[in-house]
Amino acid sequence: IGYQYSIPIRSFFGTSKKLLILDLDNTIWGGVIGDSNISDIKINSDDPEGRLFLKFQYFIKSLKNKGILLALCSKNNESIVVKAFNELNMPLKLSDFIAKRINWNNKHENILDICKELNLSFDSVVFCDDNPTEREEVLSFLPAVSCPNIGKDPSKYINILDINQYFKNYLPLSNEDKKRSQSYKILKKQLISKSKFKNQNDFIKSLKLEITIENLNKKNIDRILQLINKTNQFNLTTKRVTRKFLESDIKKKWKFVIRVKDKFGDHGIISFIYGTTNKDIIIIENWVLSCRVFNKNIEG
């Protein structure tokens, strides 16, 4: 009972998970891709075990559609994996994964690298792998990463992830949630572009940032509620608010909703700031900025 009560509280305080990192063999499909023919991999409705993995993939796909980021972390030959995704008729496609680490490195190193690439904290990550040794390694080096013991029975994978409700969010689903994966793809394009420049200022100029300020209104209030209550890294006070606060209590305060676009795409609403004035003094009561736009001098 205590755990179930903790779930909406965890959601309200912005600690629900944002990224699901998945192994491949015997995790999202049956069999070991490097030890068998691609046609022998079990991921189809004609095979009892294949149906279980198919169902699990549909579940993962549903998480992505709700704004959860997906990544791959597998000890495999990348060319074989790419061929498997091209030849197997699966719900999940390679394009569904915002980051991929398909190599022979230690998995905790790959996860660390993925988090660094996406600018996400370890406590926002769930790592799903059927191999207990790999889970133990990740837990030993990255204890903040959630590593559920999914066991070896694919019929239980969904229930085990679901009972922990890592991705349960009691806040309204915003347009930014639905487009989160696309936003991170934009960030990856930025990183590739950044390598062509000698300094940060030249890179930022090349992005052709468009910053738009708008009023708080009925159309953006759900996103602002989420931004304040889920942002932890750039949040001046980490004070959480209610919808009532945004609908009525904040009316007498000055406030700005901030959107950002660049040459790669639209990042949507990425910041909110509000406060009061006292004679000639401007008082900032709170300011939040999405981690997706860090290091772009937007706050300046």
Side-chain angles (χ1 to χ4, degrees):
I1 293 173
Y3 180 78
Q4 291 301 316
Y5 273 120
S6 76
I7 293 167
I9 296 171
R10 183 175 66 193
S11 173
F12 181 75
F13 282 98
T15 57
S16 56
K17 307 298 183 179
K18 297 178 181 178
L19 173 65
L20 175 60
I21 300 179
L22 294 151
D23 176 44
L24 292 171
D25 297 330
N26 293 314
T27 300
I28 69 168
W29 59 47
V32 179
I33 198 73
D35 295 344
S36 58
N37 295 322
I38 291 175
S39 58
D40 294 330
I41 293 299
K42 296 179 180 179
I43 182 67
N44 59 74
S45 58
D46 297 329
D47 178 83
E49 187 177 358
R51 285 195 291 271
L52 296 176
F53 286 105
L54 197 64
K55 186 178 179 180
F56 186 47
Q57 286 204 17
Y58 277 117
F59 172 75
I60 295 166
K61 190 86 169 186
S62 72
L63 293 177
K64 177 181 179 290
N65 293 337
K66 294 175 183 176
I68 302 304
L69 299 172
L70 303 180
L72 287 178
C73 181
S74 172
K75 289 182 177 178
N76 255 307
N77 185 310
E78 186 169 5
S79 62
I80 296 176
V81 170
V82 171
K83 186 178 181 182
F85 270 95
N86 288 335
E87 293 185 9
L88 295 171
N89 183 21
M90 302 186 296
L92 290 173
K93 311 298 180 186
L94 265 182
S95 58
D96 289 320
F97 298 92
I98 191 65
K100 308 170 194 71
R101 297 297 185 276
I102 304 167
N103 52 42
W104 302 100
N105 298 342
N106 292 323
K107 291 201 172 181
H108 80 273
E109 294 172 342
N110 279 333
I111 292 174
L112 194 155
D113 197 39
I114 290 171
C115 290
K116 184 178 180 180
E117 175 186 327
L118 301 178
N119 197 25
L120 290 174
S121 58
F122 299 132
D123 61 1
S124 64
V125 176
V126 176
F127 174 57
C128 190
D129 193 317
D130 70 298
N131 190 323
T133 304
E134 302 288 9
R135 295 197 302 268
E136 185 64 26
E137 177 213 313
V138 173
L139 281 172
S140 297
F141 287 94
L142 306 173
V145 172
S146 295
C147 300
N149 181 0
I150 61 172
K152 294 289 184 181
D153 184 353
S155 69
K156 297 179 180 178
Y157 289 178
I158 295 175
N159 288 339
I160 291 169
L161 285 181
D162 213 28
I163 198 170
N164 284 286
Q165 297 198 40
Y166 295 118
F167 308 105
K168 185 69 175 179
N169 185 8
Y170 286 81
L171 298 174
L173 195 66
S174 68
N175 288 329
E176 278 75 10
D177 281 325
K178 299 172 185 176
K179 297 177 181 178
R180 182 176 291 135
S181 183
Q182 185 61 35
S183 295
Y184 277 92
K185 287 179 180 178
I186 293 172
L187 289 182
K188 291 189 76 172
K189 290 179 181 179
Q190 289 180 356
L191 287 173
I192 294 170
S193 176
K194 185 177 181 180
S195 63
K196 302 174 184 177
F197 294 88
K198 294 182 178 179
N199 61 69
Q200 180 75 1
N201 288 335
D202 288 345
F203 166 63
I204 291 173
K205 287 178 183 178
S206 76
L207 291 177
K208 298 179 181 178
L209 291 169
E210 295 181 25
I211 300 174
T212 306
I213 296 176
E214 63 184 53
N215 293 321
L216 179 65
N217 55 51
K218 291 181 180 179
K219 291 183 179 180
N220 59 35
I221 193 170
D222 286 341
R223 169 57 177 163
I224 300 307
L225 181 65
Q226 178 198 65
L227 197 59
I228 295 174
N229 289 333
K230 292 185 72 174
T231 302
N232 295 311
Q233 295 180 69
F234 190 110
N235 187 326
L236 295 192
T237 67
T238 64
K239 290 180 180 177
R240 310 306 183 180
V241 302
T242 63
R243 190 181 183 89
K244 176 181 176 296
F245 174 82
L246 294 177
E247 289 176 334
S248 58
D249 298 352
I250 204 174
K251 283 185 177 180
K252 295 182 179 180
K253 303 178 188 293
W254 58 264
K255 48 203 170 290
F256 300 111
V257 175
I258 302 165
R259 292 180 178 269
V260 168
K261 291 181 181 179
D262 62 32
K263 67 179 182 181
F264 293 109
D266 187 354
H267 296 274
I269 296 172
I270 51 83
S271 186
F272 183 61
I273 183 171
Y274 65 87
T276 56
T277 58
N278 184 3
K279 296 180 180 180
D280 296 331
I281 300 173
I282 296 175
I283 301 169
I284 297 175
E285 294 188 12
N286 202 3
W287 186 6
V288 293
L289 179 71
S290 170
C291 63
R292 299 203 301 268
V293 292
F294 278 8
N295 300 319
K296 303 294 186 300
N297 290 349
I298 292 171
E299 65 274 15

